[in-house]
Short mmCIF file of all heavy atoms in Angstrom, two decimals:
data_model
loop_
_atom_site.label_atom_id
_atom_site.label_comp_id
_atom_site.label_asym_id
_atom_site.label_seq_id
_atom_site.Cartn_x
_atom_site.Cartn_y
_atom_site.Cartn_z
N ARG C 596 -16.97 -31.91 1.65
CA ARG C 596 -17.95 -32.17 0.58
C ARG C 596 -19.25 -31.40 0.83
O ARG C 596 -19.92 -30.87 -0.06
CB ARG C 596 -18.11 -33.62 0.32
CG ARG C 596 -16.97 -34.38 -0.15
CD ARG C 596 -17.18 -35.88 -0.27
NE ARG C 596 -17.36 -36.48 1.07
CZ ARG C 596 -18.50 -36.93 1.56
NH1 ARG C 596 -19.60 -36.80 0.79
NH2 ARG C 596 -18.54 -37.46 2.74
N ARG C 597 -19.71 -31.51 2.06
CA ARG C 597 -21.03 -30.92 2.37
C ARG C 597 -20.98 -29.44 2.25
O ARG C 597 -21.91 -28.76 1.79
CB ARG C 597 -21.45 -31.41 3.77
CG ARG C 597 -21.59 -32.88 3.96
CD ARG C 597 -21.70 -33.33 5.41
NE ARG C 597 -21.68 -34.77 5.58
CZ ARG C 597 -20.56 -35.51 5.66
NH1 ARG C 597 -19.40 -34.94 5.55
NH2 ARG C 597 -20.63 -36.78 5.80
N LEU C 598 -19.94 -28.79 2.79
CA LEU C 598 -19.82 -27.41 2.74
C LEU C 598 -19.65 -26.85 1.33
O LEU C 598 -20.19 -25.80 0.98
CB LEU C 598 -18.62 -26.95 3.57
CG LEU C 598 -18.83 -26.99 5.11
CD1 LEU C 598 -17.52 -26.95 5.86
CD2 LEU C 598 -19.85 -25.99 5.64
N LYS C 599 -18.93 -27.65 0.55
CA LYS C 599 -18.78 -27.19 -0.87
C LYS C 599 -20.17 -27.26 -1.56
O LYS C 599 -20.49 -26.46 -2.41
CB LYS C 599 -17.81 -28.18 -1.59
CG LYS C 599 -16.39 -27.94 -1.20
CD LYS C 599 -15.42 -28.99 -1.74
CE LYS C 599 -14.00 -28.75 -1.31
NZ LYS C 599 -13.06 -29.86 -1.76
N ALA C 600 -21.03 -28.25 -1.24
CA ALA C 600 -22.35 -28.37 -1.82
C ALA C 600 -23.19 -27.18 -1.36
O ALA C 600 -24.19 -26.83 -2.08
CB ALA C 600 -22.98 -29.68 -1.48
N LEU C 601 -22.86 -26.52 -0.25
CA LEU C 601 -23.63 -25.38 0.22
C LEU C 601 -23.10 -24.05 -0.38
O LEU C 601 -23.64 -23.00 -0.05
CB LEU C 601 -23.59 -25.27 1.75
CG LEU C 601 -24.36 -26.42 2.49
CD1 LEU C 601 -24.07 -26.24 3.96
CD2 LEU C 601 -25.85 -26.34 2.20
N GLY C 602 -22.08 -24.12 -1.21
CA GLY C 602 -21.57 -22.90 -1.88
C GLY C 602 -20.21 -22.43 -1.52
O GLY C 602 -19.77 -21.43 -1.99
N PHE C 603 -19.62 -23.15 -0.59
CA PHE C 603 -18.24 -22.78 -0.20
C PHE C 603 -17.23 -23.50 -1.14
O PHE C 603 -16.76 -24.59 -0.83
CB PHE C 603 -17.91 -23.14 1.20
CG PHE C 603 -18.89 -22.42 2.27
CD1 PHE C 603 -19.97 -23.10 2.82
CD2 PHE C 603 -18.67 -21.12 2.57
CE1 PHE C 603 -20.75 -22.46 3.69
CE2 PHE C 603 -19.57 -20.44 3.46
CZ PHE C 603 -20.56 -21.10 4.03
N GLN C 604 -16.97 -22.88 -2.22
CA GLN C 604 -16.09 -23.50 -3.28
C GLN C 604 -14.67 -23.31 -3.14
O GLN C 604 -13.89 -23.99 -3.76
CB GLN C 604 -16.58 -23.10 -4.66
CG GLN C 604 -17.99 -23.53 -4.98
CD GLN C 604 -18.16 -25.05 -5.02
OE1 GLN C 604 -17.26 -25.74 -5.58
NE2 GLN C 604 -19.19 -25.60 -4.42
N SER C 605 -14.24 -22.40 -2.23
CA SER C 605 -12.84 -22.12 -2.08
C SER C 605 -12.43 -22.00 -0.65
O SER C 605 -13.34 -21.76 0.25
CB SER C 605 -12.47 -20.76 -2.80
OG SER C 605 -13.01 -19.67 -2.11
N TYR C 606 -11.15 -22.27 -0.37
CA TYR C 606 -10.67 -22.09 0.98
C TYR C 606 -10.85 -20.70 1.48
O TYR C 606 -11.41 -20.49 2.59
CB TYR C 606 -9.15 -22.38 0.97
CG TYR C 606 -8.44 -22.08 2.30
CD1 TYR C 606 -8.40 -22.97 3.29
CD2 TYR C 606 -7.86 -20.84 2.51
CE1 TYR C 606 -7.76 -22.65 4.51
CE2 TYR C 606 -7.22 -20.49 3.65
CZ TYR C 606 -7.16 -21.41 4.67
OH TYR C 606 -6.59 -21.08 5.87
N ASP C 607 -10.60 -19.69 0.66
CA ASP C 607 -10.76 -18.30 1.09
C ASP C 607 -12.19 -17.97 1.44
O ASP C 607 -12.47 -17.21 2.37
CB ASP C 607 -10.23 -17.32 0.02
CG ASP C 607 -8.67 -17.38 -0.12
OD1 ASP C 607 -8.05 -17.78 0.85
OD2 ASP C 607 -8.25 -17.00 -1.22
N GLY C 608 -13.09 -18.56 0.64
CA GLY C 608 -14.53 -18.26 0.89
C GLY C 608 -15.03 -18.89 2.25
O GLY C 608 -15.70 -18.17 3.00
N LEU C 609 -14.62 -20.07 2.56
CA LEU C 609 -14.98 -20.65 3.82
C LEU C 609 -14.20 -20.00 4.94
O LEU C 609 -14.80 -19.76 6.01
CB LEU C 609 -14.64 -22.14 3.81
CG LEU C 609 -15.01 -22.93 5.10
CD1 LEU C 609 -16.49 -22.79 5.42
CD2 LEU C 609 -14.70 -24.41 5.00
N HIS C 610 -12.98 -19.70 4.80
CA HIS C 610 -12.16 -19.02 5.83
C HIS C 610 -12.85 -17.65 6.16
O HIS C 610 -12.95 -17.33 7.33
CB HIS C 610 -10.74 -18.87 5.33
CG HIS C 610 -9.84 -18.22 6.33
ND1 HIS C 610 -9.75 -16.81 6.41
CD2 HIS C 610 -8.95 -18.71 7.20
CE1 HIS C 610 -8.85 -16.50 7.37
NE2 HIS C 610 -8.40 -17.66 7.88
N ARG C 611 -13.16 -16.93 5.21
CA ARG C 611 -13.82 -15.60 5.40
C ARG C 611 -15.08 -15.75 6.11
O ARG C 611 -15.45 -14.95 7.05
CB ARG C 611 -13.98 -14.94 4.06
CG ARG C 611 -14.47 -13.52 4.09
CD ARG C 611 -14.25 -12.79 2.78
NE ARG C 611 -14.94 -11.53 2.69
CZ ARG C 611 -16.13 -11.36 2.16
NH1 ARG C 611 -16.79 -12.45 1.56
NH2 ARG C 611 -16.73 -10.22 2.13
N PHE C 612 -15.95 -16.72 5.70
CA PHE C 612 -17.25 -16.95 6.39
C PHE C 612 -17.08 -17.32 7.90
O PHE C 612 -17.79 -16.82 8.69
CB PHE C 612 -18.01 -18.10 5.65
CG PHE C 612 -19.33 -18.38 6.29
CD1 PHE C 612 -20.49 -17.67 5.98
CD2 PHE C 612 -19.38 -19.35 7.32
CE1 PHE C 612 -21.70 -17.95 6.64
CE2 PHE C 612 -20.57 -19.63 7.93
CZ PHE C 612 -21.73 -18.97 7.59
N MET C 613 -16.14 -18.23 8.17
CA MET C 613 -15.96 -18.72 9.51
C MET C 613 -15.55 -17.49 10.47
O MET C 613 -16.02 -17.38 11.56
CB MET C 613 -14.89 -19.77 9.57
CG MET C 613 -15.37 -21.07 8.93
SD MET C 613 -16.70 -21.87 9.92
CE MET C 613 -15.85 -22.34 11.36
N HIS C 614 -14.64 -16.67 9.96
CA HIS C 614 -14.23 -15.54 10.80
C HIS C 614 -15.34 -14.48 10.93
O HIS C 614 -15.47 -13.85 12.00
CB HIS C 614 -12.91 -14.96 10.32
CG HIS C 614 -11.70 -15.83 10.60
ND1 HIS C 614 -11.01 -15.69 11.76
CD2 HIS C 614 -11.20 -16.87 9.94
CE1 HIS C 614 -10.07 -16.56 11.78
NE2 HIS C 614 -10.12 -17.30 10.69
N ALA C 615 -16.12 -14.32 9.86
CA ALA C 615 -17.22 -13.39 9.97
C ALA C 615 -18.31 -13.98 10.92
O ALA C 615 -18.91 -13.18 11.70
CB ALA C 615 -17.89 -13.23 8.55
N LEU C 616 -18.45 -15.25 10.94
CA LEU C 616 -19.40 -15.88 11.86
C LEU C 616 -18.93 -15.66 13.29
O LEU C 616 -19.77 -15.32 14.15
CB LEU C 616 -19.50 -17.38 11.52
CG LEU C 616 -20.44 -18.17 12.39
CD1 LEU C 616 -21.91 -17.86 12.08
CD2 LEU C 616 -20.26 -19.70 12.13
N ASP C 617 -17.68 -15.93 13.58
CA ASP C 617 -17.20 -15.68 14.87
C ASP C 617 -17.34 -14.25 15.38
O ASP C 617 -17.76 -14.02 16.51
CB ASP C 617 -15.70 -16.03 14.95
CG ASP C 617 -15.09 -15.98 16.29
OD1 ASP C 617 -15.74 -16.41 17.25
OD2 ASP C 617 -13.94 -15.54 16.46
N HIS C 618 -17.18 -13.30 14.47
CA HIS C 618 -17.32 -11.88 14.79
C HIS C 618 -18.83 -11.58 15.13
O HIS C 618 -19.15 -10.90 16.06
CB HIS C 618 -16.85 -11.01 13.65
CG HIS C 618 -17.10 -9.54 13.81
ND1 HIS C 618 -16.31 -8.79 14.74
CD2 HIS C 618 -18.06 -8.72 13.29
CE1 HIS C 618 -16.84 -7.56 14.70
NE2 HIS C 618 -17.84 -7.51 13.84
N ALA C 619 -19.73 -12.23 14.29
CA ALA C 619 -21.13 -11.92 14.52
C ALA C 619 -21.62 -12.51 15.83
O ALA C 619 -22.52 -11.90 16.46
CB ALA C 619 -21.98 -12.52 13.32
N VAL C 620 -21.09 -13.64 16.23
CA VAL C 620 -21.45 -14.28 17.50
C VAL C 620 -21.09 -13.31 18.63
O VAL C 620 -21.78 -13.06 19.60
CB VAL C 620 -20.82 -15.65 17.65
CG1 VAL C 620 -20.93 -16.17 19.09
CG2 VAL C 620 -21.49 -16.64 16.69
N ARG C 621 -19.87 -12.79 18.57
CA ARG C 621 -19.40 -11.96 19.64
C ARG C 621 -20.15 -10.57 19.61
O ARG C 621 -20.43 -10.08 20.70
CB ARG C 621 -17.89 -11.67 19.43
CG ARG C 621 -17.01 -12.95 19.54
CD ARG C 621 -15.57 -12.64 19.13
NE ARG C 621 -14.72 -13.88 19.01
CZ ARG C 621 -14.09 -14.38 20.00
NH1 ARG C 621 -14.09 -13.80 21.23
NH2 ARG C 621 -13.38 -15.51 19.90
N LEU C 622 -20.40 -10.10 18.49
CA LEU C 622 -21.10 -8.80 18.32
C LEU C 622 -22.52 -8.82 18.91
O LEU C 622 -22.96 -7.89 19.58
CB LEU C 622 -21.10 -8.35 16.91
CG LEU C 622 -21.72 -6.98 16.63
CD1 LEU C 622 -20.83 -5.87 17.24
CD2 LEU C 622 -21.87 -6.77 15.12
N THR C 623 -23.21 -9.94 18.62
CA THR C 623 -24.58 -10.01 19.05
C THR C 623 -24.82 -10.80 20.34
O THR C 623 -26.00 -10.94 20.82
CB THR C 623 -25.48 -10.73 18.00
OG1 THR C 623 -25.04 -12.08 17.81
CG2 THR C 623 -25.30 -10.00 16.59
N GLY C 624 -23.78 -11.29 20.93
CA GLY C 624 -23.95 -12.14 22.16
C GLY C 624 -24.65 -13.42 21.77
O GLY C 624 -25.40 -13.96 22.61
N TYR C 625 -24.41 -13.93 20.61
CA TYR C 625 -25.03 -15.09 20.10
C TYR C 625 -26.55 -15.02 20.07
O TYR C 625 -27.29 -15.72 20.73
CB TYR C 625 -24.64 -16.43 20.84
CG TYR C 625 -25.06 -17.65 20.07
CD1 TYR C 625 -24.74 -17.83 18.76
CD2 TYR C 625 -25.86 -18.60 20.74
CE1 TYR C 625 -25.23 -18.96 18.09
CE2 TYR C 625 -26.34 -19.72 20.04
CZ TYR C 625 -26.01 -19.88 18.73
OH TYR C 625 -26.47 -20.99 18.04
N ASN C 626 -27.05 -14.08 19.28
CA ASN C 626 -28.47 -13.96 19.01
C ASN C 626 -28.66 -14.25 17.51
O ASN C 626 -28.31 -13.46 16.66
CB ASN C 626 -28.94 -12.53 19.34
CG ASN C 626 -30.45 -12.32 19.11
OD1 ASN C 626 -30.91 -12.52 17.98
ND2 ASN C 626 -31.14 -11.95 20.12
N LEU C 627 -29.11 -15.46 17.21
CA LEU C 627 -29.13 -15.92 15.82
C LEU C 627 -29.96 -14.94 14.89
O LEU C 627 -29.43 -14.68 13.78
CB LEU C 627 -29.72 -17.32 15.72
CG LEU C 627 -28.79 -18.46 16.11
CD1 LEU C 627 -29.51 -19.79 16.19
CD2 LEU C 627 -27.68 -18.58 15.10
N PRO C 628 -31.14 -14.53 15.27
CA PRO C 628 -31.90 -13.63 14.35
C PRO C 628 -31.10 -12.30 14.09
O PRO C 628 -31.15 -11.72 13.02
CB PRO C 628 -33.17 -13.33 15.09
CG PRO C 628 -33.36 -14.57 15.93
CD PRO C 628 -32.04 -14.97 16.38
N SER C 629 -30.39 -11.86 15.10
CA SER C 629 -29.58 -10.62 14.94
C SER C 629 -28.32 -10.89 14.11
O SER C 629 -27.79 -9.92 13.50
CB SER C 629 -29.22 -10.04 16.31
OG SER C 629 -30.41 -9.67 17.05
#
Side-chain angles (χ1 to χ4, degrees):
R596 294 176 292 108
R597 300 168 186 84
L598 288 166
K599 288 173 181 174
L601 292 175
F603 298 103
Q604 294 298 316
S605 69
Y606 170 89
D607 289 338
L609 180 58
H610 181 275
R611 185 164 169 265
F612 177 88
M613 290 293 292
H614 284 271
L616 181 70
D617 185 41
H618 176 74
V620 168
R621 298 171 188 270
L622 183 66
T623 65
Y625 189 56
N626 182 301
L627 280 170
S629 298

